[in-house]
Amino acid sequence: MTAFLLLVAPSANRVYADAAPALMAAEARSLATAFIDGEVTVEATRIAGVDYLRVSADEIGPVGVRALSNLSAVHALFEAEGELLRPVAADRVDAYPSDLLTIQKYPGKTNEQLTRLLLNVTAAATSRPQRLLDGTLDVLDPMCGRGTTLNLALTYGLDVTGVDLDKRDLEAYETFLKTWLRQTRLKHTVRTSAIRTAGQHRGRRLDVEVAPSKEDFKAGRTQRLTYLGTDTTRLEGLVRSGAFDVVVTDTPYGVQHGSHGDRIARNPLELLDSALPGWVRALRTGGAVGLSYNRHVAPPHELADLLEQHGLTVVGDPADDTFRHRVDASIDRDVIVARKGSGRDVVG
Ligand SMILES: C[S@@+](CC[C@H](N)C(=O)[O-])C[C@H]1O[C@@H](n2cnc3c(N)ncnc32)[C@H](O)[C@@H]1O
């Protein structure tokens, strides 16, 4: 039996400081099932007053170490040797400098750690979770705001498409990304164009091609990022059917606290009902949808029923509190994952 201890990262974010150990335990369970063979146990533990997760299995090979290294709140990894901890080099997929994820600060930004958790558990629920770590997972964030998921997907070395209706979000993201790419001296191309379907103007799009090094760019080992500034409930003709492994998004919270994210949102369940046909079409069979949502405006059972009505299979029990955490008085946040067609039951 091998045991790894994961030191939970300290967080300046109040929500995460309190919730991180429990959230990362649930996240580690879903990733461990997808990436580590045989029976795995994950338990929160304290050593000398410090929070760790203990992950035990018969064998945790290199793929397991890589998966654990990329959990949302992992700070350092150790292998247990009796009472002692031997440091293990983290194998984090970091294609670009970490400030890509941290520089942007704005009201309504989805916490980077939650975004990572959501992408991880959603990818783990697909029939090909290894794509998360080998650079081939295709990601769609159909309500991407100013791009936290887009930046995370780039960090993971993945291709990604984002959609948002708020023009100011596309403008702000475009300005940020262009400046960051220039300052980071990464070889890249940026193209903007109008979106038209059936002769109708539908918004603007941004297409970026980038690679972590000049050599990669020259050799065509590039990543593609697309941002469609349009309505997510009308994606037909704009995204290919079956093109994505995961659809991940932080849904509007349906509360008036002045954050940019809720200015154009209607009732979140109604919005999802209109958007899901397009999202499900965009997903390949064996792919998964992962949503973070506010339980105050979208009760878990109603959301689970809605996902099932759109032909998806909810993973785990929507009533369990595995990923539930309180953000503030008006936001009781949770995560739900649902699969399209066949796959393995790995979350919850
Ligand atoms: C919670 S925010 C996402 C924030 C984002 N993850 C970030 O970190 O910037 C929800 C987003 O849904 C978008 N939205 C609401 N209704 C939409 C629609 N019909 N089509 C596209 N986007 C929509 C809002 O503009 C908002 O940016």
Side-chain angles (χ1 to χ4, degrees):
M1 180 68 86
T2 321
F4 273 69
L5 280 112
L6 316 180
L7 180 58
V8 180
S11 173
N13 181 294
R14 191 176 39 78
V15 171
Y16 261 79
D18 295 341
L23 287 174
M24 196 166 78
E27 182 192 6
R29 277 185 201 106
S30 68
L31 260 71
T33 318
F35 290 100
I36 300 173
D37 290 335
E39 197 169 317
V40 187
T41 60
V42 178
E43 56 196 356
T45 181
R46 290 203 115 199
I47 301 174
V50 178
D51 285 320
Y52 291 83
L53 288 188
R54 178 188 290 270
V55 180
S56 314
D58 279 341
E59 202 192 326
I60 301 176
V63 176
V65 171
R66 195 164 164 83
L68 297 177
S69 301
N70 286 285
L71 290 172
S72 62
V74 73
H75 192 48
L77 265 79
F78 303 89
E79 187 162 2
E81 289 184 355
E83 289 283 286
L84 301 179
L85 301 183
R86 189 173 57 79
V88 174
D91 185 7
R92 219 164 154 94
V93 191
D94 278 330
Y96 300 98
S98 61
D99 64 357
L100 173 59
L101 273 162
T102 52
I103 288 181
Q104 284 193 108
K105 305 237 182 302
Y106 49 90
K109 176 174 178 179
T110 310
N111 177 289
E112 299 99 65
Q113 283 175 315
L114 178 82
T115 305
R116 192 180 275 267
L117 180 149
L118 185 64
L119 179 63
N120 284 344
V121 300
T122 309
T126 67
S127 58
R128 293 183 215 149
Q130 66 278 9
R131 289 187 163 193
L132 174 69
L133 302 178
D134 72 12
T136 60
L137 194 86
D138 275 304
V139 179
L140 172 65
D141 180 344
M143 295 197 285
C144 67
R146 295 198 200 172
T148 311
T149 306
L150 308 186
N151 294 338
L152 178 66
L154 283 183
T155 300
Y156 266 115
L158 307 172
D159 287 348
V160 62
T161 298
V163 182
D164 207 288
L165 186 54
D166 192 331
K167 283 185 194 143
R168 287 158 298 189
D169 281 355
L170 170 54
E171 278 162 21
Y173 183 68
E174 184 179 346
T175 306
F176 159 75
L177 190 64
K178 281 181 178 166
T179 309
W180 186 86
L181 288 168
R182 209 173 44 244
Q183 286 176 347
T184 315
R185 296 174 182 275
L186 286 165
K187 198 154 171 49
H188 66 276
T189 58
V190 178
R191 216 158 35 92
T192 53
S193 51
I195 304 175
R196 289 191 159 274
T197 53
Q200 235 192 354
H201 181 76
R202 299 274 311 279
R204 273 180 72 238
R205 66 182 281 164
L206 170 72
D207 288 281
V208 177
E209 195 170 352
V210 62
S213 71
K214 257 191 198 129
E215 294 68 39
D216 284 327
F217 196 91
K218 261 200 202 138
R221 289 187 296 270
T222 55
Q223 287 167 252
R224 284 166 193 278
L225 178 150
T226 299
Y227 190 135
L228 303 171
T230 194
D231 188 343
T232 199
T233 63
R234 297 181 55 209
L235 291 183
E236 62 296 340
L238 297 179
V239 293
R240 272 189 305 117
S241 299
F244 296 95
D245 297 286
V246 293
V247 172
V248 284
T249 203
D250 185 26
T251 60
Y253 290 97
V255 289
Q256 297 301 322
H257 56 69
S259 83
H260 81 293
D262 290 298
R263 281 195 297 254
I264 54 176
R266 37 187 167 143
N267 172 309
L269 283 172
E270 276 174 25
L271 172 62
L272 289 175
D273 195 24
S274 314
L276 274 163
W279 298 359
V280 174
R281 202 178 322 110
L283 203 58
R284 70 167 172 79
T285 303
V289 175
L291 309 175
S292 50
Y293 68 100
N294 182 4
R295 291 170 69 122
H296 289 316
V297 295
H301 275 110
E302 286 183 35
L303 179 54
D305 287 349
L306 185 67
L307 293 170
E308 301 262 347
Q309 279 162 26
H310 286 276
L312 300 169
T313 307
V314 172
V315 179
D317 178 357
D320 79 22
D321 283 355
T322 325
F323 290 108
R324 182 177 186 180
H325 57 285
R326 184 180 180 281
V327 176
D328 58 32
S330 57
I331 302 175
D332 177 11
R333 192 160 57 189
D334 208 341
V335 164
I336 193 163
V337 176
R339 245 186 327 249
K340 178 171 173 178
S342 61
R344 294 168 308 142
D345 199 348
V346 290
V347 176

